[in-house]
Amino acid sequence: MAGVTIRKVAKNYGSVEVIHGIDADIADGEMVVLVGPSGCGKSTLLRMIAGLESISGGTISIGGKIVNSLPPKERDVSMVFQNYALYPHMTVEENMAFSLTLAGAGKEEKARKVHEAAEILGLTALLKRKPRALSGGQRQRVAMGRSIVRNPQVFLFDEPLSNLDAKLRVQMRGEIKSLHRRLGTTMVYVTHDQVEAMTMADRIVVMNNGVIEQIGAPLEIYDRPANVFVAQFIGSPAMNLFLARVRSGAFVLEDGLATGISAPAGLAEGHKVTIGIRPEEIGVTADGQLVGTVENIEPTGSETFVEIRFGGQTVSVVLRERPAFGIGAQQALVLAKGAVHIFDRETGARLD
Ligand SMILES: Nc1ncnc2c1ncn2[C@@H]1O[C@H](COP(=O)(O)OP(=O)(O)OP(=O)(O)O)[C@@H](O)[C@H]1O
Ligand SMILES: [Mg+2]
């Protein structure tokens, strides 16, 4: 087993730099999820770790050894892709054994490793089937089986669940987590789905435009996003943002409404900020100064998502209790029931 160390890693395609000198430390045995919007460089970084893409600058080390110039098969990593392309003419068993066959493994060794992996993945009863006779989730498990039999130091996953339907995704992400617990092998998992990131990761790496915006445990990132980008990217519905400034030790909105939120000491009078409040931290009240118009109500059963037009923007509110109002109602809000996140308006950086 091995950790992965990323130092000032950059990637250019011709004159275009798509990864701008990033640093990250992935501990031995850790499950790290790279998350970020489409095009931010997640796959490129993963492929550089795997050796499928050259590294334009900086170093990547696996198990303390710089691997920049090592070909993929000498890095002892194994990658599972979104399009896992099983060989259609081979059985599950043959598909899983394929890399061992290429490596010249003996019949007994192959059988033992394939059966161990099949046992872990619940594929034992399916070993003689061809891929076309499997469900999407079973095929995905065979693709993981192909990786497991190689017993790599690091597993790399690039959106392995995005071809599956919603229910199967939830099931498979549980299976991958329990696989990680059982094997204890370092895993780097790429997704653009922030729920997948939150539920699977020991630590999340949030990327944007070829840089790392924040690295931390899921709840650390949720509770203390480092900047406005992370605040908006992690959490669904997304965090509400309000433009405000400091007046007499408290925040007033740009249109002059008092928020009732006091400003941290040290912020100068007039300082322009962006205030972030998660939808579950906003409440409704029978009477109050901050009144908006209810635009939309979506009951999910356990909670209700409400959209309220307030101060020229749409505010998302998640209520545990069933709302007593209807669409079109004038409704007073409690902006700061709980945590308030304060960011500098200019830089977007967290201020507290
Ligand atoms: N071979 C290439 N030549 C030029 N540019 C490329 C090449 N491959 C990727 N890029 C660019 O590099 C950037 C990062 O791409 P990458 O595939 O790493 O994004 P991603 O974060 O994995 O996105 P997605 O979530 O859509 O898979 C993108 O702007 C992409 O257009
Ligand atoms: Mg990608």
Side-chain angles (χ1 to χ4, degrees):
M1 294 210 300
V4 179
T5 309
I6 295 164
R7 284 289 170 271
K8 296 195 166 37
V9 165
K11 177 68 186 177
N12 305 22
Y13 289 108
S15 61
V16 183
E17 190 173 83
V18 297
I19 303 242
H20 310 296
I22 61 179
D23 293 290
D25 289 286
I26 298 164
D28 184 14
E30 195 175 25
M31 169 117 194
V32 162
V33 176
L34 304 181
V35 69
S38 183
C40 72
K42 306 178 295 293
S43 296
T44 303
L45 179 57
L46 200 71
R47 293 170 60 82
M48 285 195 285
I49 298 172
L52 301 172
E53 203 71 75
S54 65
I55 300 166
S56 311
T59 58
I60 295 181
S61 309
I62 300 175
K65 183 172 152 199
I66 294 179
V67 297
N68 285 40
S69 54
L70 286 186
K73 63 178 191 319
E74 287 172 32
R75 296 191 183 195
D76 206 0
V77 301
S78 180
M79 189 142 163
V80 180
F81 299 92
Q82 174 182 348
N83 297 315
Y84 30 86
L86 303 175
Y87 296 107
H89 58 286
M90 292 184 191
T91 62
V92 167
E93 185 168 18
E94 287 159 351
N95 265 286
M96 282 169 64
F98 190 66
S99 68
L100 300 174
T101 306
L102 284 186
K107 208 172 166 186
E108 264 171 38
E109 183 192 351
K110 280 199 293 189
R112 180 174 50 79
K113 289 187 168 165
V114 168
H115 282 269
E116 272 171 21
E119 200 58 39
I120 289 172
L121 292 164
L123 290 171
T124 306
L126 305 176
L127 285 174
K128 300 294 174 208
R129 288 215 198 152
K130 298 265 175 71
R132 66 169 179 277
L134 300 176
S135 72
Q138 289 164 341
R139 282 180 213 168
Q140 186 53 266
R141 265 182 266 160
V142 177
M144 285 194 277
R146 270 193 315 206
S147 284
I148 292 174
V149 296
R150 296 176 49 200
N151 191 25
Q153 299 206 68
V154 181
F155 284 102
L156 305 171
F157 295 92
D158 195 354
E159 312 230 18
L161 307 184
S162 33
N163 286 347
L164 306 179
D165 67 39
K167 189 166 170 223
L168 203 48
R169 287 177 73 114
V170 173
Q171 184 197 333
M172 288 301 295
R173 82 183 182 220
E175 288 185 12
I176 293 175
K177 268 206 90 165
S178 82
L179 185 68
H180 177 246
R181 271 193 298 273
R182 246 188 292 182
L183 300 176
T185 309
T186 311
M187 290 186 177
V188 186
Y189 186 103
V190 164
T191 180
H192 60 261
D193 178 338
Q194 52 96 19
V195 178
E196 229 165 78
M198 288 294 290
T199 53
M200 296 182 75
D202 293 326
R203 283 190 310 152
I204 294 176
V205 175
V206 183
M207 291 183 68
N208 183 31
N209 275 330
V211 300
I212 293 176
E213 298 278 1
Q214 189 171 6
I215 302 180
L219 291 180
E220 242 168 70
I221 286 186
Y222 191 84
D223 291 341
R224 291 187 58 78
N227 54 45
V228 168
F229 175 81
V230 176
Q232 284 261 281
F233 191 76
I234 299 288
S236 176
M239 185 187 282
N240 296 293
L241 298 178
F242 302 94
L243 303 184
R245 61 180 75 210
V246 179
R247 191 198 286 159
S248 312
F251 290 115
V252 294
L253 299 180
E254 284 298 305
D255 56 10
L257 274 178
T259 59
I261 301 165
S262 50
L267 279 192
E269 181 78 8
H271 192 112
K272 291 182 177 177
V273 299
T274 302
I275 292 179
I277 307 176
R278 295 214 177 270
E280 67 272 22
E281 308 284 12
I282 296 188
V284 294
T285 175
D287 60 338
Q289 302 301 308
L290 308 174
V291 177
T293 308
V294 177
E295 274 184 332
N296 198 18
I297 302 178
E298 294 180 341
T300 70
S302 59
E303 326 176 289
T304 306
F305 297 164
V306 182
E307 286 178 345
I308 298 182
R309 191 80 194 156
F310 167 77
Q313 67 187 87
T314 298
V315 176
S316 305
V317 183
V318 175
L319 299 175
R320 295 289 304 182
E321 69 276 14
R322 306 254 163 123
F325 48 79
I327 290 175
Q330 293 294 299
Q331 179 59 51
L333 298 174
V334 183
L335 274 193
K337 234 172 40 165
V340 174
H341 307 263
I342 298 161
F343 306 100
D344 187 84
R345 182 98 58 87
E346 292 289 307
T347 65
R350 185 179 192 89
L351 283 175
D352 54 319

